[in-house]
Amino acid sequence: MTGPSEPRGERSSDEGRRGPSSAGGRWSGGERGGRGDGPRSGEGHRGGGDRGRFTGGERAERYPRGERAGPRGDGPRGGRFDADRRGGARRPARPAVDLPRQVAYQAIAAVHRDDAYANLVLPAMLREEGLVGRDAAFATELTYGTLRQTGTLDAIISDAADRDVQRIDPPVRDALRLGAYQLLHTRVPAHAAVSSTVDLVRSVGPGATGFANAVLREITTRDHDAWVAKLAPATETDPVGHLALAYSHPQWIVRAFAEALGGDLGETERLLIEDNERPPVHLCARPGLADPVELADEVGGAPGAFSPYAVYLSGGAPGDLRAVIEGRAHVQDEGSQLVANALAVAPLDGPDGRWLDLCAGPGGKAGLLGALAAQRGARLTAVEVAEHRARLVEQATRGLPVTVLATDGRTVGGDPELPEGHFDRVLVDAPCTGLGSLRRRPESRWRRQPSDLPPLTRLQRELLTAALRAVRPGGLVAYVTCSPHTVETHVTVTEAARRCGLPVDFVDARPLLPAGMPGLGDGPTVQLWPHRHGTDAMFLAVLRRG
């Protein structure tokens, strides 16, 4: 959050990265390639990946020690020659690490060294280095896969090295993670994974090449399942610990998922498996501006399974699509589309022309609600506390009946533009831990801590209370998070409704989603799941003010 006293939260699943924001906003930065509001999806480059569509083609490139290849024009890119520093003739240079692996390493290092976000730094690196097609897909798979599997890879590296992984020099540690991922999760030949990683270590930690070679060769003595069998606690005595190591999630997150799934560890395992898969790219065909079937034909995709506006892409760079550039569509997870649309279709008595998105940045849900409002003669007020994110909302809603306010969503009643009892429909897409979109932000599972919950849940209650004050009697409020953690979902909603001092009734949210949609639970709230619905784990509660 931007304010020094605010917790760092993550927007629901249609945003790319959440940089710090404050109430009424979420995370700064580009649209979440995953969450979907952004022009690029974090893993848009397909064409290879999981378990060896890549064999690691060995295109050699030369890099200065410890640094990335420079931008175009900074020197030879093929790595075949090296200029004599004395100004003489060029001489052959020893090939170093191929460019896709080097880019993947630099992205991973930036995540760990600079607290960067992979879905932001990797696309920039791919563009800078001119990587496209299979090379871009290979670099993307190595980056995201290594980051997702970091916890388990570290346990394996520690055992193979006979030392705690934290005692390994960080550049060498990241190189070993990259090499171990190739050995255990792709079909890259072992000799290619080992030799390319040793070459990488030679450039970032020259004194550790022998150590790296020994560690990697020890890792080759077992496959992934055999390493898990050796290192994971027994399922019978520590089922959570076993799942955490087997599927590379922190134990506290595994416990939170299990609790949200009613203690069903079998279903929890299926969720963890899905969390480690590459997420699909979803488009939202904006109502009145694009037909989803026609859009699917245009972009070579397929209509979504549940949202009436969803289009599934097989890959590529969605931000380059003409429909996205022209504003007829935007990138947005299907779950985010469903919860926003649920608010719009909920039955409402009385006037229905004043809608409010209380936490609008960077604008994915505001874009969908704005398009729906245009069809129904309504107008949306979109609130975002961070000015740079408010500008993103303006860009995302250009041409739609949307007024953007750069203010704190909790100022309802104290801001003349946010009067109490004024709005007919209100969306609270609250800052949260983002545990529901770990597929799209692989580093988040290792950054989040249980200590993040108290300040975030306090902010969530404050925003929901403000929304209940903003809505008119008889009006509707939709509370949404991209986290299934029960403290952020059921506890927050029930506590805010109890403490707000206003008469509030829960509306059954299940009928507001497509008929026949499976696995929606007993109501009145709804929890979507990656392994059940193919969406981010979006939570939805709909409340009516009495």
Side-chain angles (χ1 to χ4, degrees):
M1 319 302 292
T2 48
S5 62
E6 296 299 345
R8 291 179 58 161
E10 302 209 14
R11 282 283 309 262
S12 324
S13 84
D14 54 285
E15 289 179 5
R17 143 208 172 184
R18 318 295 181 214
S21 168
S22 177
R26 281 309 177 314
W27 279 76
S28 67
E31 275 69 42
R32 173 177 170 191
R35 197 191 182 193
D37 291 0
R40 288 185 182 273
S41 173
E43 291 189 87
H45 291 282
R46 305 275 193 242
D50 290 318
R51 293 203 173 265
R53 298 225 198 127
F54 299 105
T55 57
E58 310 295 305
R59 183 159 66 92
E61 300 285 344
R62 180 179 62 81
Y63 288 85
R65 283 194 173 186
E67 298 185 8
R68 290 174 51 215
R72 295 190 178 190
D74 286 359
R77 292 179 51 83
R80 297 181 57 201
F81 298 100
D82 189 14
D84 191 312
R85 292 188 180 182
R86 295 168 297 182
R90 293 174 180 265
R91 54 183 170 79
R94 181 184 184 280
V97 181
D98 58 282
L99 191 53
R101 286 186 175 94
Q102 182 71 17
V103 167
Y105 169 79
Q106 293 294 344
I108 293 165
V111 167
H112 294 140
R113 180 189 63 236
D114 305 328
D115 226 20
Y117 292 83
N119 70 290
L120 298 179
V121 297
L122 180 61
M125 290 179 179
L126 295 176
R127 289 193 298 271
E128 181 181 339
E129 301 299 349
L131 285 181
V132 296
R134 192 172 181 81
D135 282 346
F138 186 39
T140 300
E141 168 63 16
L142 293 182
T143 301
Y144 277 75
T146 301
L147 291 171
R148 287 191 189 101
Q149 294 292 335
T150 293
T152 303
L153 294 175
D154 282 359
I156 294 169
I157 291 169
S158 291
D159 188 85
D162 196 24
R163 69 177 69 173
D164 190 286
V165 74
Q166 297 304 318
R167 293 178 53 210
I168 300 173
D169 188 48
V172 176
R173 183 170 64 223
D174 282 334
L176 288 174
R177 288 165 170 162
L178 183 61
Y181 180 78
Q182 294 174 71
L183 289 170
L184 300 173
H185 293 280
T186 76
R187 292 180 184 171
V188 173
H191 69 86
V194 172
S195 63
S196 64
T197 304
V198 171
D199 284 341
L200 180 57
V201 171
R202 184 174 289 110
S203 70
V204 300
T209 54
F211 167 75
N213 185 65
V215 171
L216 292 167
R217 291 193 180 281
E218 176 64 20
I219 292 173
T220 65
T221 62
R222 293 176 174 85
D223 63 13
H224 175 267
D225 291 344
W227 277 111
V228 169
K230 177 184 179 182
L231 300 176
T235 301
E236 297 75 18
T237 57
D238 186 1
V240 169
H242 181 89
L243 290 174
L245 192 136
Y247 299 108
S248 201
H249 283 67
Q251 289 195 28
W252 76 273
I253 292 180
V254 177
R255 291 191 191 95
F257 287 170
E259 181 182 1
L261 288 166
D264 187 333
L265 291 179
E267 188 169 10
T268 301
E269 183 176 19
R270 293 194 292 275
L271 170 59
L272 298 176
I273 292 170
E274 189 65 29
D275 252 0
N276 287 335
E277 295 296 320
R278 292 179 300 157
V281 180
H282 296 165
L283 292 183
C284 176
R286 291 189 169 182
L289 299 175
D291 177 87
V293 175
E294 294 176 358
L295 179 63
D297 290 339
E298 176 185 338
V299 301
F306 302 116
S307 167
Y309 313 114
V311 172
Y312 299 163
L313 294 182
S314 59
D320 295 338
L321 296 173
R322 181 174 298 277
V324 174
I325 294 171
E326 294 175 350
R328 294 182 286 119
H330 60 267
V331 180
Q332 186 174 44
D333 178 76
E334 188 174 20
S336 292
Q337 299 174 39
L338 288 167
V339 296
N341 188 60
L343 173 63
V345 302
L348 178 67
D349 294 330
D352 192 15
R354 296 170 299 198
W355 298 4
L356 173 64
D357 183 347
L358 202 61
C359 312
K365 293 183 182 66
L368 175 54
L369 289 174
L372 291 168
Q375 292 185 312
R376 291 160 54 172
R379 185 163 193 89
L380 175 70
T381 298
V383 175
E384 171 53 51
V385 68
E387 290 189 5
H388 69 286
R389 287 167 60 79
R391 290 192 292 271
L392 292 176
V393 179
E394 290 175 346
Q395 295 169 11
T397 59
R398 187 175 294 117
L400 299 173
V402 178
T403 300
V404 180
L405 302 180
T407 189
D408 190 320
R410 294 170 294 182
T411 60
V412 169
D415 186 324
E417 295 185 279
L418 293 175
E420 291 193 15
H422 177 73
F423 296 94
D424 305 305
R425 300 178 190 265
V426 181
L427 174 67
V428 183
D429 186 11
C432 67
T433 56
L435 300 185
S437 57
L438 298 182
R439 302 180 300 167
R440 303 185 187 281
R441 287 165 293 156
E443 66 280 335
S444 291
R445 68 184 72 181
W446 310 117
R447 290 180 177 172
R448 280 298 179 192
Q449 300 294 330
S451 58
D452 296 331
L453 287 166
L456 277 173
T457 54
R458 181 174 63 251
L459 177 59
Q460 291 161 359
R461 290 193 301 270
E462 291 170 352
L463 286 166
L464 180 51
T465 299
L468 292 169
R469 295 200 314 269
V471 75
R472 66 169 173 83
L476 296 166
V477 173
Y479 173 80
V480 170
T481 68
C482 188
S483 171
H485 199 299
T486 55
V487 172
E488 299 184 87
T489 57
H490 298 285
V491 173
T492 289
V493 172
T494 55
E495 284 298 298
R498 182 177 66 84
R499 297 180 187 183
C500 71
L502 299 168
V504 175
D505 296 316
F506 280 85
V507 175
D508 191 345
R510 294 172 298 172
L512 309 180
L513 297 176
M517 192 170 179
L520 297 182
D522 299 326
T525 63
V526 164
Q527 178 67 64
L528 302 179
W529 294 103
H531 65 292
R532 289 184 186 175
H533 309 107
T535 69
D536 290 340
M538 304 295 299
F539 173 82
L540 169 66
V542 179
L543 303 97
R544 189 185 306 276
R545 178 174 168 180

